[in-house]
Amino acid sequence: MTDLLDHLTVEPNGQPVAAVIWLHGLGADGYDFEPIVPELMLPPSLPVRFLFPHAPRIPVTVNSGMVMRAWFDIYDIDINRVIDHDQINQSGLAVEK
């Protein structure tokens, strides 16, 4: 059993020489960005693996507590809002893993 984030992986033809980890925004998931990979028209000489992690589903305060994919809770949209740095750091560690 693993505690890795649920994710989508797009493998190149051939052994990858680089990887891109692409994070989605609020309410989206990694599948939203999968169609972008072919649009990049990377040359065959640059085999890149793309990883699209899916944020966990959590209640989002600013959206009336609706459960959706989010990297951290958003309490308010005010520019001077309180930010939950612990949740952001936890998401960062999950992506790093």
Side-chain angles (χ1 to χ4, degrees):
M1 185 165 154
T2 180
D3 55 351
L4 292 177
L5 288 171
D6 189 21
H7 63 281
L8 167 66
T9 303
V10 176
E11 295 287 354
N13 293 328
Q15 186 66 27
V17 297
V20 172
I21 301 173
W22 198 311
L23 302 182
H24 62 78
L26 179 64
D29 66 18
Y31 291 104
D32 291 337
F33 294 100
E34 180 184 17
I36 292 173
V37 175
E39 297 298 322
L40 296 173
M41 295 188 288
L42 296 176
S45 60
L46 184 60
V48 177
R49 171 183 291 138
F50 285 85
L51 300 163
F52 299 97
H54 309 303
R57 289 180 173 92
I58 63 170
V60 177
T61 303
V62 76
N63 287 344
S64 302
M66 183 183 298
V67 174
M68 59 183 52
R69 291 202 183 271
W71 298 107
F72 54 92
D73 192 6
I74 300 171
Y75 304 119
D76 192 357
I77 57 172
D78 185 84
I79 191 71
N80 296 315
R81 67 186 175 266
V82 174
I83 296 172
D84 191 327
H85 293 280
D86 288 338
Q87 284 183 341
I88 293 172
N89 289 335
Q90 288 172 4
S91 289
L93 291 171
V95 170
E96 184 178 303
K97 194 178 223 180

Coordinates of all heavy atoms in Angstrom, one line a residue:
M1 N 0.8 -1.2 0.0 CA 0.0 0.0 0.0 C 0.9 1.2 0.0 O 1.9 1.3 0.6 CB -0.9 0.0 1.2 CG -1.9 1.1 1.2 SD -3.2 0.8 2.4 CE -3.6 2.5 2.7
T2 N 0.4 2.3 -0.7 CA 1.2 3.5 -0.8 C 0.4 4.7 -0.4 O -0.8 4.7 -0.5 CB 1.8 3.7 -2.2 OG1 2.5 4.9 -2.3 CG2 0.7 3.7 -3.3
D3 N 1.0 5.7 0.0 CA 0.3 6.9 0.4 C 0.6 8.1 -0.6 O 0.5 9.2 -0.2 CB 0.5 7.3 1.9 CG 2.0 7.5 2.2 OD1 2.9 7.2 1.3 OD2 2.3 8.0 3.3
L4 N 0.9 7.7 -1.8 CA 1.2 8.7 -2.8 C -0.1 9.3 -3.2 O -1.2 8.7 -3.2 CB 1.8 8.1 -4.1 CG 3.3 7.6 -3.9 CD1 3.7 6.9 -5.2 CD2 4.2 8.7 -3.5
L5 N -0.1 10.6 -3.7 CA -1.2 11.2 -4.2 C -1.7 10.5 -5.4 O -1.0 10.0 -6.2 CB -0.9 12.7 -4.7 CG -0.7 13.7 -3.6 CD1 -0.1 15.0 -4.2 CD2 -1.9 14.0 -2.8
D6 N -3.1 10.4 -5.6 CA -3.6 9.9 -6.8 C -3.1 10.8 -7.9 O -3.1 12.0 -7.8 CB -5.2 10.0 -6.7 CG -5.9 9.3 -7.8 OD1 -5.3 8.4 -8.5 OD2 -7.0 9.6 -8.0
H7 N -2.8 10.3 -9.1 CA -2.2 11.1 -10.1 C -2.3 10.4 -11.5 O -2.6 9.2 -11.6 CB -0.7 11.4 -9.9 CG 0.1 10.1 -9.8 ND1 0.2 9.3 -8.8 CD2 0.9 9.6 -10.8 CE1 1.0 8.3 -9.0 NE2 1.4 8.4 -10.3
L8 N -2.1 11.2 -12.5 CA -2.1 10.7 -13.9 C -0.6 10.9 -14.4 O 0.0 11.9 -14.1 CB -3.0 11.6 -14.7 CG -2.9 11.5 -16.2 CD1 -3.3 10.1 -16.7 CD2 -3.8 12.6 -16.9
T9 N -0.1 9.9 -15.0 CA 1.2 10.0 -15.6 C 1.1 9.8 -17.1 O 0.5 8.9 -17.6 CB 2.1 8.8 -15.0 OG1 2.1 8.9 -13.6 CG2 3.5 8.9 -15.6
V10 N 1.8 10.7 -17.8 CA 1.9 10.6 -19.3 C 3.4 10.3 -19.6 O 4.3 11.1 -19.3 CB 1.5 11.9 -20.0 CG1 1.7 11.8 -21.5 CG2 0.0 12.2 -19.7
E11 N 3.6 9.1 -20.1 CA 5.0 8.7 -20.4 C 5.4 9.0 -21.8 O 4.6 9.0 -22.7 CB 5.1 7.2 -20.2 CG 4.9 6.7 -18.8 CD 6.0 7.0 -17.9 OE1 7.1 7.5 -18.3 OE2 5.9 6.7 -16.6
P12 N 6.6 9.4 -22.0 CA 7.1 9.7 -23.4 C 7.4 8.4 -24.1 O 7.5 7.3 -23.5 CB 8.4 10.5 -23.1 CG 8.9 9.9 -21.8 CD 7.7 9.6 -21.0
N13 N 7.7 8.5 -25.4 CA 8.2 7.3 -26.1 C 9.7 7.3 -25.8 O 10.4 8.3 -26.1 CB 8.0 7.5 -27.6 CG 6.5 7.4 -28.0 OD1 5.8 6.7 -27.3 ND2 6.1 8.2 -29.0
G14 N 10.2 6.3 -25.2 CA 11.6 6.2 -24.8 C 11.8 6.6 -23.3 O 10.9 7.0 -22.6
Q15 N 13.0 6.4 -22.9 CA 13.4 6.7 -21.5 C 13.4 8.1 -21.2 O 14.0 8.9 -21.9 CB 14.8 6.1 -21.3 CG 15.3 6.2 -19.8 CD 14.5 5.3 -18.9 OE1 14.0 4.3 -19.3 NE2 14.4 5.7 -17.7
P16 N 12.6 8.6 -20.2 CA 12.5 10.0 -19.9 C 13.9 10.6 -19.4 O 14.6 9.9 -18.7 CB 11.5 10.1 -18.8 CG 11.1 8.7 -18.4 CD 11.8 7.8 -19.3
V17 N 14.1 11.8 -19.9 CA 15.3 12.5 -19.4 C 14.9 13.7 -18.5 O 15.8 14.3 -17.9 CB 16.1 13.1 -20.7 CG1 16.6 12.0 -21.5 CG2 15.3 14.1 -21.4
A18 N 13.6 13.9 -18.4 CA 13.2 15.0 -17.5 C 11.7 14.7 -17.1 O 11.1 13.8 -17.7 CB 13.2 16.3 -18.2
A19 N 11.3 15.4 -16.1 CA 9.9 15.2 -15.6 C 9.3 16.6 -15.3 O 10.0 17.5 -14.8 CB 9.8 14.3 -14.4
V20 N 8.0 16.7 -15.6 CA 7.3 17.9 -15.2 C 6.1 17.5 -14.3 O 5.4 16.6 -14.6 CB 6.7 18.6 -16.5 CG1 5.8 19.8 -16.1 CG2 7.8 19.1 -17.4
I21 N 6.1 18.2 -13.2 CA 4.9 18.0 -12.2 C 4.0 19.2 -12.4 O 4.4 20.3 -12.1 CB 5.4 17.8 -10.8 CG1 6.4 16.6 -10.7 CG2 4.2 17.6 -9.9 CD1 7.0 16.5 -9.3
W22 N 2.8 18.9 -12.9 CA 1.9 20.0 -13.2 C 0.7 20.0 -12.2 O -0.1 19.1 -12.2 CB 1.4 19.8 -14.6 CG 0.8 20.9 -15.3 CD1 -0.1 21.8 -14.9 CD2 1.1 21.4 -16.7 NE1 -0.5 22.7 -15.8 CE2 0.3 22.5 -16.9 CE3 2.0 20.9 -17.6 CZ2 0.3 23.1 -18.1 CZ3 2.0 21.5 -18.9 CH2 1.2 22.6 -19.1
L23 N 0.6 21.1 -11.4 CA -0.5 21.1 -10.4 C -1.7 21.9 -11.0 O -1.5 22.9 -11.6 CB 0.0 21.8 -9.2 CG 1.3 21.2 -8.5 CD1 1.6 21.9 -7.2 CD2 1.0 19.7 -8.2
H24 N -2.8 21.4 -10.7 CA -4.1 22.0 -11.1 C -4.6 23.0 -10.1 O -4.0 23.1 -9.0 CB -5.1 21.0 -11.4 CG -5.5 20.2 -10.2 ND1 -6.3 20.7 -9.2 CD2 -5.1 18.9 -9.8 CE1 -6.4 19.8 -8.2 NE2 -5.7 18.7 -8.5
G25 N -5.6 23.7 -10.4 CA -6.2 24.7 -9.5 C -7.4 24.2 -8.8 O -7.7 23.0 -8.9
L26 N -8.0 25.0 -8.1 CA -9.2 24.7 -7.3 C -10.3 24.0 -8.1 O -10.7 24.6 -9.1 CB -9.7 26.0 -6.6 CG -11.0 25.8 -5.7 CD1 -10.6 24.9 -4.5 CD2 -11.4 27.2 -5.2
G27 N -10.8 22.9 -7.6 CA -11.9 22.2 -8.2 C -11.5 21.4 -9.5 O -12.4 20.7 -10.0
A28 N -10.4 21.5 -10.0 CA -9.9 20.8 -11.2 C -9.3 19.5 -10.8 O -9.2 19.1 -9.6 CB -9.0 21.6 -12.0
D29 N -8.7 18.7 -11.7 CA -7.8 17.6 -11.4 C -6.8 17.5 -12.5 O -6.8 18.3 -13.5 CB -8.6 16.3 -11.2 CG -9.4 15.8 -12.4 OD1 -9.0 16.2 -13.5 OD2 -10.3 15.0 -12.2
G30 N -5.9 16.6 -12.4 CA -4.9 16.4 -13.4 C -5.3 16.1 -14.8 O -4.7 16.5 -15.7
Y31 N -6.5 15.5 -14.9 CA -7.0 15.2 -16.2 C -7.3 16.5 -17.0 O -7.3 16.4 -18.3 CB -8.3 14.3 -16.1 CG -8.0 12.9 -15.6 CD1 -8.3 12.6 -14.3 CD2 -7.3 12.0 -16.5 CE1 -8.0 11.3 -13.9 CE2 -7.1 10.7 -16.0 CZ -7.4 10.4 -14.7 OH -7.1 9.1 -14.2
D32 N -7.6 17.6 -16.4 CA -7.8 18.8 -17.1 C -6.7 19.3 -17.9 O -6.9 20.0 -18.9 CB -8.2 19.9 -16.1 CG -9.6 19.7 -15.4 OD1 -10.4 18.9 -16.0 OD2 -9.8 20.2 -14.4
F33 N -5.5 18.9 -17.6 CA -4.3 19.4 -18.3 C -3.6 18.3 -19.2 O -2.7 18.6 -19.9 CB -3.3 19.9 -17.3 CG -3.8 21.1 -16.6 CD1 -4.3 21.1 -15.3 CD2 -3.8 22.4 -17.2 CE1 -4.8 22.2 -14.7 CE2 -4.2 23.5 -16.6 CZ -4.8 23.4 -15.3
E34 N -4.1 17.1 -19.1 CA -3.5 16.0 -19.9 C -3.5 16.4 -21.4 O -2.5 16.2 -22.1 CB -4.3 14.7 -19.7 CG -3.7 13.6 -20.6 CD -4.6 12.3 -20.4 OE1 -5.7 12.4 -19.9 OE2 -4.1 11.3 -20.8
P35 N -4.6 17.0 -22.0 CA -4.6 17.4 -23.4 C -3.5 18.4 -23.8 O -3.2 18.6 -25.0 CB -6.0 17.9 -23.6 CG -6.8 17.5 -22.5 CD -5.8 17.3 -21.3
I36 N -2.9 19.1 -22.9 CA -1.9 20.1 -23.2 C -0.6 19.4 -23.7 O 0.2 20.0 -24.5 CB -1.6 21.0 -22.0 CG1 -2.9 21.8 -21.8 CG2 -0.4 21.8 -22.2 CD1 -2.8 22.7 -20.5
V37 N -0.3 18.2 -23.2 CA 1.0 17.6 -23.5 C 1.3 17.5 -25.0 O 2.3 18.0 -25.4 CB 1.1 16.2 -22.8 CG1 2.4 15.5 -23.2 CG2 1.1 16.4 -21.3
P38 N 0.4 17.0 -25.8 CA 0.7 16.9 -27.2 C 0.8 18.3 -27.9 O 1.5 18.5 -28.9 CB -0.5 16.1 -27.8 CG -1.4 15.8 -26.8 CD -0.9 16.3 -25.5
E39 N 0.1 19.3 -27.3 CA 0.1 20.6 -27.8 C 1.5 21.3 -27.7 O 1.8 22.2 -28.4 CB -1.0 21.5 -27.1 CG -2.4 21.1 -27.4 CD -2.8 21.1 -28.8 OE1 -2.4 22.1 -29.5 OE2 -3.5 20.2 -29.3
L40 N 2.3 20.8 -26.7 CA 3.6 21.3 -26.5 C 4.6 20.9 -27.7 O 5.6 21.6 -27.8 CB 4.2 20.8 -25.2 CG 3.4 21.3 -24.0 CD1 4.0 20.6 -22.7 CD2 3.5 22.8 -23.8
M41 N 4.2 19.9 -28.4 CA 5.0 19.5 -29.6 C 6.5 19.3 -29.3 O 7.3 19.8 -30.0 CB 4.8 20.4 -30.8 CG 3.3 20.4 -31.3 SD 3.0 21.3 -32.8 CE 3.1 23.0 -32.3
L42 N 6.7 18.6 -28.2 CA 8.1 18.4 -27.8 C 8.8 17.4 -28.8 O 8.1 16.5 -29.3 CB 8.2 17.7 -26.4 CG 7.7 18.6 -25.2 CD1 7.7 17.8 -23.9 CD2 8.5 19.9 -25.1
P43 N 10.0 17.7 -29.1 CA 10.7 16.8 -30.1 C 11.0 15.5 -29.5 O 11.1 15.3 -28.3 CB 12.0 17.6 -30.4 CG 12.2 18.4 -29.2 CD 10.9 18.8 -28.7
P44 N 11.0 14.4 -30.3 CA 11.3 13.1 -29.9 C 12.7 13.0 -29.1 O 12.9 12.2 -28.3 CB 11.4 12.2 -31.1 CG 10.6 13.0 -32.1 CD 10.7 14.4 -31.8
S45 N 13.6 13.9 -29.4 CA 14.9 14.0 -28.8 C 14.8 14.5 -27.3 O 15.8 14.5 -26.6 CB 15.8 14.8 -29.5 OG 15.4 16.2 -29.6
L46 N 13.6 14.9 -26.9 CA 13.4 15.4 -25.5 C 12.2 14.6 -24.9 O 11.1 15.1 -24.8 CB 13.1 16.9 -25.6 CG 12.9 17.6 -24.2 CD1 14.2 17.4 -23.4 CD2 12.5 19.0 -24.4
P47 N 12.5 13.4 -24.5 CA 11.4 12.6 -23.9 C 11.2 13.0 -22.4 O 12.0 12.8 -21.5 CB 12.0 11.1 -23.9 CG 13.5 11.3 -24.0 CD 13.7 12.6 -24.6
V48 N 10.0 13.6 -22.2 CA 9.7 14.1 -20.9 C 8.5 13.4 -20.3 O 7.5 13.1 -21.0 CB 9.3 15.6 -21.0 CG1 8.9 16.2 -19.6 CG2 10.5 16.4 -21.5
R49 N 8.6 13.0 -19.0 CA 7.4 12.4 -18.3 C 6.6 13.5 -17.7 O 7.2 14.4 -17.1 CB 8.0 11.4 -17.3 CG 6.9 10.9 -16.3 CD 7.5 10.0 -15.2 NE 7.9 8.8 -15.8 CZ 9.1 8.2 -15.5 NH1 9.9 8.7 -14.6 NH2 9.4 7.1 -16.1
F50 N 5.3 13.5 -17.8 CA 4.4 14.4 -17.2 C 3.7 13.8 -16.0 O 3.1 12.7 -16.3 CB 3.5 15.0 -18.2 CG 4.1 16.0 -19.1 CD1 4.8 15.6 -20.2 CD2 4.1 17.4 -18.8 CE1 5.4 16.5 -21.1 CE2 4.7 18.3 -19.6 CZ 5.4 17.9 -20.8
L51 N 3.7 14.4 -14.9 CA 2.9 13.9 -13.7 C 1.9 14.9 -13.4 O 2.2 16.1 -13.2 CB 3.9 13.6 -12.5 CG 5.0 12.6 -12.8 CD1 6.0 12.7 -11.8 CD2 4.4 11.2 -12.8
F52 N 0.7 14.5 -13.3 CA -0.4 15.4 -12.9 C -1.1 14.9 -11.7 O -2.0 14.1 -11.7 CB -1.5 15.4 -14.1 CG -0.9 15.9 -15.4 CD1 -0.5 15.0 -16.4 CD2 -0.9 17.2 -15.7 CE1 0.0 15.4 -17.6 CE2 -0.4 17.7 -16.9 CZ 0.1 16.8 -17.9
P53 N -0.6 15.3 -10.5 CA -1.3 14.8 -9.3 C -2.6 15.5 -9.1 O -2.9 16.6 -9.6 CB -0.3 15.3 -8.2 CG 0.6 16.3 -8.8 CD 0.5 16.2 -10.3
H54 N -3.5 14.7 -8.4 CA -4.8 15.2 -8.1 C -4.8 15.6 -6.6 O -4.5 14.8 -5.7 CB -5.9 14.2 -8.3 CG -5.8 13.5 -9.6 ND1 -5.9 14.2 -10.8 CD2 -5.7 12.2 -9.9 CE1 -5.9 13.3 -11.8 NE2 -5.7 12.1 -11.3
A55 N -5.2 16.9 -6.3 CA -5.3 17.3 -4.9 C -6.4 16.5 -4.2 O -7.3 16.0 -4.8 CB -5.7 18.8 -4.9
P56 N -6.3 16.3 -2.9 CA -7.4 15.6 -2.2 C -8.7 16.4 -2.2 O -8.7 17.6 -2.5 CB -6.8 15.6 -0.7 CG -5.7 16.6 -0.6 CD -5.2 16.8 -2.0
R57 N -9.7 15.7 -1.9 CA -11.1 16.4 -1.9 C -11.2 16.9 -0.4 O -11.2 16.0 0.5 CB -12.2 15.4 -2.3 CG -12.2 15.1 -3.7 CD -13.3 14.1 -4.1 NE -13.4 14.0 -5.5 CZ -12.8 13.0 -6.2 NH1 -12.0 12.2 -5.6 NH2 -13.0 12.9 -7.5
I58 N -11.4 18.2 -0.3 CA -11.6 18.7 1.1 C -12.7 19.8 1.0 O -13.0 20.3 -0.1 CB -10.3 19.4 1.6 CG1 -9.8 20.5 0.7 CG2 -9.2 18.3 1.8 CD1 -8.7 21.4 1.3
P59 N -13.3 20.1 2.2 CA -14.3 21.2 2.2 C -13.6 22.5 2.0 O -12.5 22.8 2.6 CB -14.9 21.1 3.6 CG -14.3 20.0 4.3 CD -13.2 19.4 3.4
V60 N -14.1 23.4 1.2 CA -13.5 24.7 0.9 C -14.4 25.8 1.4 O -15.5 26.0 0.9 CB -13.2 24.9 -0.6 CG1 -12.6 26.2 -0.9 CG2 -12.2 23.8 -1.1
T61 N -13.9 26.4 2.5 CA -14.7 27.4 3.2 C -15.3 28.5 2.3 O -16.5 28.8 2.4 CB -13.8 28.1 4.3 OG1 -13.3 27.1 5.2 CG2 -14.6 29.1 5.1
V62 N -14.5 29.1 1.4 CA -15.0 30.2 0.5 C -16.1 29.7 -0.4 O -16.9 30.5 -0.9 CB -13.8 30.8 -0.2 CG1 -13.4 29.9 -1.4 CG2 -14.2 32.2 -0.7
N63 N -16.2 28.4 -0.6 CA -17.3 27.9 -1.5 C -18.3 27.2 -0.6 O -18.8 26.1 -1.0 CB -16.7 26.9 -2.5 CG -15.9 27.6 -3.6 OD1 -16.1 28.8 -3.8 ND2 -15.1 26.9 -4.3
S64 N -18.7 27.8 0.5 CA -19.7 27.3 1.4 C -19.4 25.9 1.9 O -20.4 25.1 2.2 CB -21.1 27.4 0.7 OG -21.4 28.7 0.3
G65 N -18.2 25.5 2.0 CA -17.8 24.2 2.6 C -18.0 23.1 1.6 O -17.9 21.9 2.0
M66 N -18.2 23.4 0.3 CA -18.4 22.4 -0.7 C -17.1 21.5 -0.8 O -16.0 22.1 -0.7 CB -18.7 23.0 -2.1 CG -18.9 21.9 -3.1 SD -19.2 22.7 -4.8 CE -20.7 23.6 -4.5
V67 N -17.2 20.2 -0.8 CA -16.1 19.4 -0.9 C -15.6 19.3 -2.4 O -16.4 19.1 -3.3 CB -16.4 17.9 -0.4 CG1 -15.2 17.0 -0.7 CG2 -16.8 18.0 1.1
M68 N -14.4 19.6 -2.6 CA -13.8 19.6 -4.0 C -12.3 19.4 -3.9 O -11.7 19.5 -2.8 CB -14.1 21.0 -4.7 CG -13.6 22.2 -3.9 SD -14.0 23.8 -4.7 CE -15.7 23.6 -4.9
R69 N -11.7 19.2 -5.0 CA -10.2 19.0 -5.0 C -9.6 20.4 -4.7 O -9.9 21.4 -5.4 CB -9.8 18.5 -6.4 CG -10.2 17.0 -6.6 CD -9.3 16.4 -7.6 NE -9.7 15.0 -7.8 CZ -9.3 13.9 -7.2 NH1 -8.5 14.1 -6.2 NH2 -9.8 12.7 -7.5
A70 N -8.7 20.4 -3.7 CA -8.0 21.6 -3.4 C -6.7 21.3 -2.6 O -6.7 20.3 -1.9 CB -8.9 22.5 -2.5
W71 N -5.7 22.0 -2.9 CA -4.4 21.8 -2.2 C -4.4 22.4 -0.8 O -3.6 21.9 0.0 CB -3.3 22.5 -3.0 CG -3.2 21.9 -4.4 CD1 -3.6 22.4 -5.6 CD2 -2.7 20.5 -4.7 NE1 -3.3 21.5 -6.6 CE2 -2.8 20.4 -6.1 CE3 -2.2 19.5 -4.0 CZ2 -2.4 19.2 -6.8 CZ3 -1.8 18.3 -4.6 CH2 -2.0 18.2 -6.0
F72 N -5.3 23.3 -0.5 CA -5.5 23.8 0.8 C -6.9 24.5 0.9 O -7.4 24.9 -0.2 CB -4.4 24.8 1.2 CG -4.2 25.9 0.2 CD1 -4.8 27.1 0.3 CD2 -3.4 25.8 -1.0 CE1 -4.7 28.2 -0.6 CE2 -3.2 26.8 -1.9 CZ -3.9 28.0 -1.7
D73 N -7.4 24.7 2.1 CA -8.6 25.4 2.3 C -8.4 26.9 2.0 O -7.4 27.5 2.3 CB -9.1 25.2 3.7 CG -10.6 25.7 3.9 OD1 -11.3 26.0 2.9 OD2 -11.0 25.6 5.1
I74 N -9.4 27.5 1.4 CA -9.4 28.9 1.1 C -10.5 29.5 2.0 O -11.7 29.2 1.8 CB -9.7 29.2 -0.4 CG1 -8.6 28.6 -1.2 CG2 -9.8 30.7 -0.6 CD1 -8.9 28.6 -2.7
Y75 N -10.1 30.3 2.9 CA -11.1 30.9 3.9 C -11.8 32.1 3.4 O -12.9 32.4 3.8 CB -10.3 31.2 5.2 CG -9.6 30.0 5.8 CD1 -8.2 30.1 6.0 CD2 -10.3 28.9 6.2 CE1 -7.6 29.0 6.5 CE2 -9.6 27.8 6.8 CZ -8.2 27.9 6.9 OH -7.6 26.8 7.5
D76 N -11.1 32.9 2.6 CA -11.7 34.2 2.1 C -10.9 34.6 0.9 O -9.8 34.1 0.6 CB -11.4 35.2 3.2 CG -12.1 36.5 3.1 OD1 -12.8 36.7 2.0 OD2 -12.0 37.4 3.9
I77 N -11.6 35.5 0.1 CA -10.9 35.9 -1.2 C -10.3 37.3 -1.0 O -9.7 37.8 -2.0 CB -11.9 35.9 -2.4 CG1 -13.1 36.8 -2.1 CG2 -12.3 34.5 -2.7 CD1 -14.0 37.0 -3.3
D78 N -10.3 37.8 0.2 CA -9.7 39.1 0.4 C -8.2 39.0 0.3 O -7.6 38.0 0.6 CB -10.0 39.6 1.9 CG -9.5 40.9 2.2 OD1 -10.2 41.9 1.9 OD2 -8.4 41.0 2.8
I79 N -7.6 40.1 -0.3 CA -6.1 40.1 -0.5 C -5.3 39.9 0.8 O -4.2 39.3 0.8 CB -5.7 41.4 -1.3 CG1 -4.2 41.3 -1.8 CG2 -5.8 42.6 -0.4 CD1 -4.1 40.3 -2.9
N80 N -5.9 40.3 1.9 CA -5.2 40.2 3.2 C -5.7 39.0 4.0 O -5.6 39.0 5.2 CB -5.4 41.5 4.0 CG -4.8 42.7 3.3 OD1 -3.6 42.6 2.9 ND2 -5.5 43.8 3.3
R81 N -6.2 38.0 3.3 CA -6.8 36.8 3.9 C -5.7 36.0 4.7 O -4.5 36.1 4.5 CB -7.4 35.9 2.9 CG -6.4 35.3 1.9 CD -7.1 34.5 0.8 NE -6.2 34.0 -0.1 CZ -5.8 34.5 -1.3 NH1 -6.3 35.7 -1.6 NH2 -5.0 34.0 -2.1
V82 N -6.3 35.2 5.6 CA -5.5 34.3 6.4 C -5.3 33.1 5.5 O -6.2 32.6 4.9 CB -6.2 33.9 7.7 CG1 -5.5 32.8 8.4 CG2 -6.4 35.1 8.6
I83 N -4.0 32.6 5.5 CA -3.7 31.5 4.7 C -3.2 30.3 5.6 O -2.4 30.6 6.5 CB -2.5 31.8 3.7 CG1 -3.1 32.9 2.7 CG2 -2.0 30.6 2.9 CD1 -2.0 33.4 1.8
D84 N -3.7 29.1 5.4 CA -3.3 28.0 6.2 C -2.0 27.4 5.6 O -2.0 26.6 4.8 CB -4.4 26.9 6.1 CG -4.2 25.8 7.1 OD1 -3.0 25.5 7.4 OD2 -5.2 25.3 7.7
H85 N -0.9 27.9 6.2 CA 0.4 27.5 5.7 C 0.7 26.1 6.0 O 1.4 25.4 5.2 CB 1.5 28.4 6.4 CG 1.4 29.8 5.9 ND1 2.0 30.3 4.7 CD2 0.9 30.9 6.5 CE1 1.8 31.5 4.6 NE2 1.1 32.0 5.7
D86 N 0.1 25.5 7.0 CA 0.3 24.1 7.3 C -0.3 23.2 6.2 O 0.4 22.3 5.8 CB -0.3 23.7 8.7 CG 0.5 24.2 9.9 OD1 1.7 24.5 9.7 OD2 -0.2 24.4 10.9
Q87 N -1.5 23.6 5.7 CA -2.1 22.8 4.6 C -1.2 22.9 3.3 O -1.1 22.0 2.6 CB -3.5 23.2 4.4 CG -4.5 22.7 5.4 CD -5.9 23.2 5.0 OE1 -6.1 24.1 4.3 NE2 -6.9 22.4 5.6
I88 N -0.7 24.1 3.1 CA 0.1 24.3 1.9 C 1.4 23.5 2.0 O 1.8 22.8 1.0 CB 0.4 25.8 1.7 CG1 -0.9 26.6 1.3 CG2 1.5 26.0 0.6 CD1 -0.7 28.1 1.3
N89 N 2.0 23.5 3.2 CA 3.2 22.7 3.4 C 2.9 21.2 3.3 O 3.7 20.5 2.7 CB 3.8 23.0 4.7 CG 4.4 24.4 4.8 OD1 4.8 25.0 3.7 ND2 4.5 25.0 5.9
Q90 N 1.8 20.8 3.8 CA 1.4 19.4 3.7 C 1.2 19.0 2.2 O 1.7 17.9 1.8 CB 0.2 19.1 4.5 CG 0.4 19.1 6.0 CD -0.9 19.0 6.7 OE1 -2.0 18.8 6.2 NE2 -0.9 19.1 8.1
S91 N 0.6 19.8 1.5 CA 0.4 19.5 0.0 C 1.8 19.5 -0.7 O 2.0 18.6 -1.5 CB -0.5 20.6 -0.6 OG -1.8 20.4 -0.2
G92 N 2.6 20.4 -0.3 CA 4.0 20.4 -0.9 C 4.7 19.1 -0.6 O 5.4 18.6 -1.5
L93 N 4.6 18.7 0.6 CA 5.3 17.4 1.0 C 4.7 16.2 0.2 O 5.4 15.3 -0.2 CB 5.2 17.2 2.5 CG 6.1 18.2 3.3 CD1 5.8 18.0 4.8 CD2 7.5 18.0 3.0
A94 N 3.4 16.2 0.1 CA 2.7 15.1 -0.7 C 3.1 15.1 -2.1 O 3.4 14.0 -2.7 CB 1.2 15.3 -0.5
V95 N 3.3 16.3 -2.7 CA 3.7 16.4 -4.1 C 5.2 15.9 -4.2 O 5.5 15.2 -5.1 CB 3.5 17.8 -4.7 CG1 4.2 17.9 -6.0 CG2 2.1 18.1 -4.8
E96 N 6.0 16.4 -3.3 CA 7.4 16.0 -3.3 C 7.6 14.5 -3.2 O 8.4 13.9 -3.8 CB 8.1 16.7 -2.1 CG 9.6 16.4 -2.0 CD 10.2 17.2 -0.9 OE1 10.0 18.4 -0.8 OE2 10.8 16.5 0.0
K97 N 6.7 13.8 -2.4 CA 6.8 12.4 -2.2 C 6.5 11.7 -3.5 O 7.1 10.7 -3.8 CB 5.8 12.0 -1.1 CG 6.0 10.6 -0.6 CD 4.9 10.4 0.5 CE 5.6 9.7 1.6 NZ 4.6 9.4 2.7

